[in-house]
Amino acid sequence: MSATFLLETAAPAAMPVESLLAQLRATGIRIPRPAEVLDYLTRYPDVIASVRNASAVAVPEFAGKAVLSLELYVDPEIDDRYLTLYVRQDPNDPNLYEMVERVRENYDCQLDASNGWFIVMTDFQPPK
């Protein structure tokens, strides 16, 4: 299944966050704690377009090479929370950073005026 249907420049006002999460799951992205992700996107809807666009690029970029997992990162030392699309491989591809950068190019500028935050990265954990 192609993930290109997710690409758009702005989040549609009528699209519920639940529908977005269902679309992401349909493309193979794992969402281990959907209530946390739902709450974050509801609080920070300006992040939705970035999540959609990054996912649309990440799914084909990492197809068959990695597990993608959308999770809320919570810093254990300070009050900082943001959405993260983790790329998990075992073993890690030597070109992993370049692949992640290609995905980041599709959403970084959309976050400049955002109140929330979103990032695509690896945590070097094996796929779960």
Side-chain angles (χ1 to χ4, degrees), residues 1-7 23-24 27 29 52-61:
M1 171 186 258
S2 173
T4 57
F5 70 93
L6 292 172
L7 278 175
Q23 285 181 344
L24 295 176
T27 65
I29 294 175
R52 290 174 61 115
N53 291 345
S55 299
V57 175
V59 168
E61 180 76 33

Side-chain angles (χ1 to χ4, degrees), residues 2 4-5 9 19 26 33 46 56 59 61 66 73 88 94 99 101 109 117 119-120 126-127:
S2 173
T4 57
F5 70 93
T9 57
S19 296
R33 293 184 186 92
D46 48 354
V59 168
E61 180 76 33
Y73 172 80
R88 295 184 173 131
M99 297 165 79
E101 279 304 311
C109 64
W117 194 250
I119 189 166
V120 177

Side-chain angles (χ1 to χ4, degrees), residues 44-110:
Y44 303 105
D46 48 354
V47 175
I48 292 172
S50 296
V51 172
R52 290 174 61 115
N53 291 345
S55 299
V57 175
V59 168
E61 180 76 33
F62 293 105
K65 302 175 200 165
V67 170
L68 301 174
S69 184
L70 184 63
E71 301 176 28
L72 182 67
Y73 172 80
V74 179
D75 191 303
E77 297 178 6
I78 62 172
D79 186 23
D80 192 18
R81 300 167 186 263
Y82 52 85
L83 277 186
T84 304
L85 182 62
Y86 287 108
V87 179
R88 295 184 173 131
Q89 295 180 312
D90 193 23
N92 286 310
D93 186 308
N95 298 316
L96 181 61
Y97 289 114
E98 291 84 10
M99 297 165 79
V100 168
E101 279 304 311
R102 283 194 292 273
V103 175
R104 284 184 180 176
E105 290 170 359
N106 290 281
Y107 73 86
D108 270 348
C109 64
Q110 297 168 337

